[in-house]
Amino acid sequence: MIAEAGLAALWLAAALAGLELLLAVLGLRGRGELMASVRPIAVVQGILVAIAFACLIILFVRVDLSVALVVANDHSAKPLLYRFAGAWGNHEGSMLMWVTILALAGGAVALFERNLNERTLIATLGAQAFIGLGFYAFLLFASNPFERVSPPPAEGNGLNPLLQDPGLAFHPPTLYLGYVGLSVAFSFAVGALVTRDVGPAFARAMRPWVLAAWIMLTLGITAGSYWAYYELGWGGWWFWDPVENASLMPWLAATALLHSVTVLATRDGLRAWTVMLAVVAFSMSMVGTFLVRSGILTSVHAFAVDPQRGAFILGLLVIYIGGALTLFGLRVGTVKEGSQFEAVSREGALVVNNLLLSAILGIVLVGTLYPLMAEAMTGEKLSVGPPYFNSAAGPIALLLMVVMAAGPLLKWRRDDWRPLVARLAVPALLTALALLALAIWAPPIGIFPLLGLVLAAGVAAASVAPLWKRKLRRTPLFIWGMVIAHLGVAVALVGMASETAFTKETLVAARPGETHRVGPWAVRFDGVEPVAGPNWTAVEATLTATRGTSPARTLTTQSRMFYAPPTETNEASITTVLDGQLYVVLGNSDDQGRWQLRLWWKPWVTLIWIGGGLIALGGALSLLGRVLRERRSRLAQEAWA
């Protein structure tokens, strides 16, 4: 009965989405009395789809083998955490999670948004219902998560072993929260275009959703990078895989949108930019959805293998994005220009920032889609990898760092070059000192890592410059957020450049008792032994690592064999110290009793994820500061009234 209850709740939620859209359209066309029903319908819809998702989780936790999705992705021997998270570790479940977050977000907008013009809000909720309606249809007609199987098998097939990791409980939900936050921003943009209400009020309503989505995408990408780093066993933190790019592209668009919507909310500028970027950001999340769930990619992240599902999602993408672009084209003439500003100003720097982010987005989009289009047209498989992305996007990203350093030091509306040069003196001096230090003490490294390390010093100094001459206790929380987020970019840049420039790798075939060196470490291979887990068996290698006079460290790395489904994986051993990580992976043995070992020493690599965490923390502080400021302003207005 749980599966039937979940399916019924899903059908009812879909019906309410259709009713919500209908009432919104009729209300905007003159039947104003109908608009009062739109808000409560959005709330009830969110509750119903949450019930449906809860039912699916219960089915997975109980390992209900009468449900086809549970049979395909669950197993009674799996630990509880992976049975729970396994509910969204598959195609149908992940799409149900998407729709659940989408509906709950619509309900939250209906409940809490009080400052936006009522007609614009109703148009926004109608757009959100229209998005949801397409995904409800996709679930109910092409990807039913509650489909029964008869007779039930004795045991399930189990979850992909690469997904049997705590990261599954965190990484997909954060990305989906980011994607859906962008859908809300998209709906706000559509609502504002429909009612011709593109202005600061619309931007202030949209900004918290954009900022929250950006925070979630930052956390999701950061967590996903580290998950792949330690789980896949190839020692890298980013490989420009199409599925990785599918999450990066919305983040790039959301970063540009975040800066643009801030200008519109506070300075009444960049109106058309803001609306267009809202459409682009949601478009990129839809492109990512198509790539991951269409079946055209083979990846640990890509669940669907049915081309019909891909065609369905492609159809939704064409309808939503094509419709939004058409509406933008028809209404862009009604979007007033907004406040003017000089080229040398903070707004001018943000425009350059957006252009550079858009250029990087275009490079990533072309590099991701070109091999797929070439294969579709010619049948020839092509590969576009790190050399293209690094050489094409790298110089633009470094130029972006320069703009990011200068932007917060500029004044709004208008500034002058001479005082700007004076404000940049300290960051420029630190940049020069970093270059001198690297020239004297660092080994020869590539030009991109060198420039990355040098610019990181200047960006770090410029990031804290907005705090100069301020009373820190009275500094608004959103200023602290900006400072910490920009500082996080500098920290992550140091980690990326250091990992690229200074990583050492040793690949050996070792016998027990042998010692091999990698970087400053001496690693002794002590031997192997068989071990067993809840649903796997493994060969576990024990190693002892020493560095100078520091105490020895014991490492264990495994080659695992899962039996449901039958899959072999490598579990890396990672030792973290202040200045980097020692990374060890066990391979196969040969007929001479030797075992393949891959050893890496990665200086300062942890700064990549520390920087990502700082970026997200800065966003969270900024969001909290903005929300508190809006609340104080609203309470003050009510008190005066």
Side-chain angles (χ1 to χ4, degrees), residues 343-499:
V344 182
S345 64
R346 189 175 296 191
E347 292 96 331
L350 289 172
V351 170
V352 176
N353 169 83
N354 288 352
L355 288 170
L356 294 174
L357 284 168
S358 300
I360 297 172
L361 172 58
I363 289 168
V364 177
L365 181 64
V366 170
T368 303
L369 296 183
Y370 176 73
L372 304 176
M373 297 173 63
E375 183 179 355
M377 291 186 292
T378 67
E380 182 181 357
K381 285 186 177 291
L382 299 177
S383 176
V384 176
Y388 161 77
F389 291 104
N390 293 338
S391 60
I396 301 176
L398 293 174
L399 181 58
L400 180 63
M401 295 299 102
V402 176
V403 176
M404 192 185 78
L409 303 180
L410 287 163
K411 295 180 180 179
W412 294 105
R413 304 290 188 214
R414 175 186 296 179
D415 207 340
D416 190 83
W417 282 110
R418 285 168 291 184
L420 174 61
V421 171
R423 290 181 221 126
L424 286 172
V426 173
L429 176 61
L430 288 178
T431 301
L433 290 175
L435 178 60
L436 180 63
L438 287 170
I440 295 173
W441 289 297
I445 59 177
I447 184 63
F448 283 168
L450 175 65
L451 291 176
L453 290 168
V454 167
L455 286 175
V459 170
S463 297
V464 299
L467 300 178
W468 299 346
K469 299 181 181 180
R470 280 182 178 268
K471 293 183 178 180
L472 298 184
R473 285 189 173 184
R474 296 187 177 182
T475 300
L477 201 55
F478 60 85
I479 296 294
W480 280 105
M482 178 188 70
V483 168
I484 292 173
H486 285 188
L487 184 61
V489 173
V491 171
L493 184 58
V494 171
M496 295 173 191
S498 297
E499 194 273 343

Side-chain angles (χ1 to χ4, degrees), residues 204-461:
R204 284 192 291 270
M206 180 202 286
R207 181 169 55 187
W209 291 96
V210 176
L211 188 49
W214 181 80
I215 294 166
M216 290 297 107
L217 286 173
T218 302
L219 287 173
I221 292 171
T222 302
S225 169
Y226 192 69
W227 180 13
Y229 171 76
Y230 73 75
E231 178 65 26
L232 299 183
W234 53 274
W237 55 272
W238 193 266
F239 198 64
W240 296 105
D241 176 270
V243 180
E244 291 176 327
N245 296 345
S247 62
L248 178 63
M249 290 186 291
W251 183 86
L252 291 168
T255 304
L257 174 60
L258 177 60
H259 291 87
S260 185
V261 76
T262 299
V263 174
L264 178 53
T266 58
R267 300 289 166 174
D268 193 19
L270 305 183
R271 292 187 176 192
W273 258 107
T274 301
V275 174
M276 188 64 192
L277 285 171
V279 174
V280 170
F282 181 63
S283 302
M284 292 302 100
S285 69
M286 288 293 297
V287 168
T289 303
F290 171 71
L291 289 174
V292 176
R293 293 169 183 83
S294 64
I296 62 175
L297 295 177
T298 301
S299 168
V300 65
H301 308 79
F303 301 131
V305 292
D306 184 353
Q308 293 182 346
R309 292 176 176 177
F312 202 123
I313 295 175
L314 184 61
L316 293 179
L317 191 153
V318 170
I319 292 171
Y320 294 148
I321 307 309
L325 290 175
T326 301
L327 179 63
F328 180 80
L330 293 173
R331 292 293 173 89
V332 69
T334 67
V335 177
K336 296 181 181 179
E337 189 173 0
S339 299
Q340 299 293 306
F341 53 86
E342 298 290 334
V344 182
S345 64
R346 189 175 296 191
E347 292 96 331
L350 289 172
V351 170
V352 176
N353 169 83
N354 288 352
L355 288 170
L356 294 174
L357 284 168
S358 300
I360 297 172
L361 172 58
I363 289 168
V364 177
L365 181 64
V366 170
T368 303
L369 296 183
Y370 176 73
L372 304 176
M373 297 173 63
E375 183 179 355
M377 291 186 292
T378 67
E380 182 181 357
K381 285 186 177 291
L382 299 177
S383 176
V384 176
Y388 161 77
F389 291 104
N390 293 338
S391 60
I396 301 176
L398 293 174
L399 181 58
L400 180 63
M401 295 299 102
V402 176
V403 176
M404 192 185 78
L409 303 180
L410 287 163
K411 295 180 180 179
W412 294 105
R413 304 290 188 214
R414 175 186 296 179
D415 207 340
D416 190 83
W417 282 110
R418 285 168 291 184
L420 174 61
V421 171
R423 290 181 221 126
L424 286 172
V426 173
L429 176 61
L430 288 178
T431 301
L433 290 175
L435 178 60
L436 180 63
L438 287 170
I440 295 173
W441 289 297
I445 59 177
I447 184 63
F448 283 168
L450 175 65
L451 291 176
L453 290 168
V454 167
L455 286 175
V459 170

Side-chain angles (χ1 to χ4, degrees), residues 27 60 93 140:
F60 268 81
L140 292 168

Side-chain angles (χ1 to χ4, degrees), residues 31-49:
R31 301 284 299 276
E33 70 278 4
L34 298 178
M35 292 196 295
S37 302
V38 173
R39 284 182 187 255
I41 289 174
V43 174
V44 175
Q45 181 200 154
I47 294 172
L48 284 170
V49 74

Side-chain angles (χ1 to χ4, degrees), residues 50-77:
I51 291 172
F53 189 55
C55 288
L56 184 66
I57 292 175
I58 292 170
L59 293 172
F60 268 81
V61 170
R62 294 176 58 179
V63 196
D64 187 337
L65 297 175
S66 66
V67 176
L69 189 64
V70 177
V71 173
N73 298 279
D74 209 356
H75 193 282
S76 60

